[in-house]
Amino acid sequence: MNNKNLVFVITSVLILSSFMIPINDAYATVDTWTDATTTSVGSITMIGVSMSDASNGVAVGDSGQIVYTTNGGVDWTDATTTDVGATTMKGVSMSDASNGVAVGFSGQIVYTTNGGVDWTDATTTDVGSGQFDIMYGVSMGDASNGVAVGRLGQIVYTTNGGVDWTDATT
């Protein structure tokens, strides 16, 4: 074999090998999902979820459903007090295992300081309460500061854990 052919063969092998996936990686074990033991939600559509760490989290959904977990999602328990009635909740953000905020239809904003067990209406929301005043998402940067967004460009923020909200878009 001459030098040109040898260079061609070596180059071809190097190029082809760069596209190959090692057999061990191609058949690696895939993580699996397991149904939660207790969900307390029946057939209600769940829309938002936020885990503050590997154990603690909250999920929200239609008909004002709010549930929390303290064991990584294996079991979910209904919130004791929600202050949302049957209002569909669209988003939730837990800043840590205790503190979080949930938002939904009709400008609904509620906060928790005990891991999702109890939820209290925000005192001031600066968000309308009509049928089309929908808050879609919320993000808490820490236990005090957060931002919520909604329909028609609505943006509100809190600096006291979700108790009061100020309109950032006016």
Side-chain angles (χ1 to χ4, degrees), residues 47-135:
I47 300 169
V49 64
S50 177
M51 296 293 290
S52 61
D53 56 42
S55 298
N56 300 287
V58 173
V60 299
D62 284 345
S63 303
Q65 183 70 62
I66 302 178
V67 292
Y68 65 92
T69 184
T70 58
N71 62 0
V74 174
D75 297 299
W76 293 84
T77 305
D78 282 323
T80 306
T81 304
T82 64
D83 278 351
V84 300
T87 302
T88 294
M89 302 306 288
K90 302 291 260 176
V92 62
S93 178
M94 296 298 291
S95 60
D96 56 42
S98 298
N99 301 288
V101 174
V103 298
F105 275 53
S106 301
Q108 182 72 62
I109 301 177
V110 292
Y111 64 93
T112 184
T113 58
N114 62 1
V117 176
D118 298 298
W119 294 83
T120 305
D121 272 323
T123 306
T124 304
T125 64
D126 275 349
V127 177
S129 59
Q131 173 184 357
F132 299 108
D133 295 317
I134 304 168
M135 301 307 291

